[in-house]
């Protein structure tokens, strides 16, 4: 069963489905968690919030009804942050139904902040706390599933904070980077902007930060390498420059001018020995090389996303180590040379 849950509980939707299934088997733990009166509890999944003029639409994860009347909303956010204006749609719908803000729940795996989440929604409930409610369920199946699922949640937590080369599923990486973003954003130099979109163009968990410069922008990015080829490869950071034109030609030209500053070894030297021990080939410049090629290097980056060097982290780094390196990189961005 543990292996089956590992395979099945991979997304936020999976965990939402499990909670709804547990509540259908035994609704009493959910009644207690939501502080509902006696009556018949039913749940509706993926409820579309009908549009009103000037209000966007969306689908909330779960609506809880008591005797057929909508009483609470639950939105699960395990890996991703809030997106678009989804909560504006949810709030408009909830207000029309008379559901107070205290009964609109933003549920995470733990109490960590959720990127771009609304401050008005309750964070009183966590996924782990909800699962614990079925530990003493009178239903054997509900109790067994809740215990096994909570064990899997603990595995995710361990993977998110432990050695990077031992994470088993993408959700672990997303949780890791969400926490890394929270820990580094709080101490980042003034003027540092964060994009907590959580996924790169290649589908890998991703965190991006940048600063505005006279040339355009300097960018720091961190993501897992090759997420679909297994999880034994470590994370990579990139140090990039980006022009306002955001084309490969313009970004490459700027990178040519800023090669020394962009080089991995220059960053590592600036950051010091604590970072050097956590980086693969700290003496290398980190640029792409064509075998036997001459001339300027090729750069890591994307069309419209900057060009620069790669800083690959040692496979054994844990979350604390990653915070050390990414924090150092955010400080390094502030040293970008003036014209």
């Amino acid at each position: 069963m543990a292996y089956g849950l590992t395979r099945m509980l991979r997304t936020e939707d999976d965990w939402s489905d499990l909670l709804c299934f547990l509540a259908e088997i035994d609704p009493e733990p959910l009644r207690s968690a939501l502080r509902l009166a006696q009556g018949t509890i039913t749940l509706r999944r993926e409820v579309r919030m009908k549009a009103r003029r000037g209000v966007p639409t969306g689908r909330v994860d779960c609506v809880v009804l008591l005797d057929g009347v909508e009483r609470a909303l639950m939105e699960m956010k395990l890996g991703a942050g809030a997106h678009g204006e989804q909560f504006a749609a949810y709030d408009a719908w909830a207000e029309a139904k008379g559901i107070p803000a205290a009964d609109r729940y933003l549920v995470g795996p733990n109490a960590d902040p959720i990127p771009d989440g609304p401050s008005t929604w309750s964070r009183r409930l966590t996924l782990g706390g909800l699962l614990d409610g079925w530990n003493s369920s009178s239903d054997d199946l509900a109790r067994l599933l809740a215990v096994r699922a909570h064990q899997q949640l603990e595995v995710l937590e361990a993977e998110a904070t432990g050695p990077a080369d031992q994470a088993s599923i993408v959700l672990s990486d997303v949780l890791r980077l969400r926490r890394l973003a929270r820990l580094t954003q709080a101490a980042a130099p003034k003027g540092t902007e964060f994009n907590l979109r959580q996924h790169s163009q290649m589908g890998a968990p991703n965190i991006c930060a940048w600063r505005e410069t006279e040339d355009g922008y300097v960018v720091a990015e961190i993501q897992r390498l090759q997420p679909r080829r297994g999880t034994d490869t470590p994370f990579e950071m990139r140090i990039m420059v980006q022009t306002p034109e955001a084309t490969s030609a313009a970004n490459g030209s700027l990178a040519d001018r800023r090669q020394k500053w962009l080089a991995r070894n220059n960053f590592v030297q600036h950051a010091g020995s604590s970072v050097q021990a956590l980086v693969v080939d700290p003496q290398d410049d980190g640029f792409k090389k064509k075998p036997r090629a001459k001339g300027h290097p090729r750069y890591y980056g994307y069309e419209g996303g900057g060009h620069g060097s790669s800083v690959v982290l040692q496979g054994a780094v844990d979350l604390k180590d990653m915070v050390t390196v990414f924090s150092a990189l955010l400080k390094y961005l502030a040293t970008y040379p003036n014209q």
Side-chain angles (χ1 to χ4, degrees), residues 42-90:
T42 53
L43 296 94
R44 296 168 57 199
R45 280 278 289 122
E46 290 291 321
V47 179
R48 186 174 184 82
M49 308 283 97
K50 294 183 179 179
R52 300 189 324 192
R53 180 175 295 180
V55 176
T57 61
R59 292 180 181 273
V60 72
D61 285 336
C62 185
V63 175
V64 182
L65 299 88
L66 181 65
D67 292 330
V69 178
E70 296 89 348
R71 293 296 304 273
L73 302 182
M74 290 196 300
E75 180 71 9
M76 190 78 67
K77 291 295 182 186
L78 266 67
H83 57 83
E85 298 182 17
Q86 63 178 139
F87 285 97
Y90 302 164

Side-chain angles (χ1 to χ4, degrees), residues 243-265:
T243 62
E245 297 91 337
T247 64
S248 290
N251 292 341
S253 177
L254 178 57
D256 284 341
R257 291 165 45 205
R258 300 302 188 191
Q259 266 190 44
K260 181 178 179 181
W261 184 86
L262 284 169
R264 175 197 301 164
N265 48 21

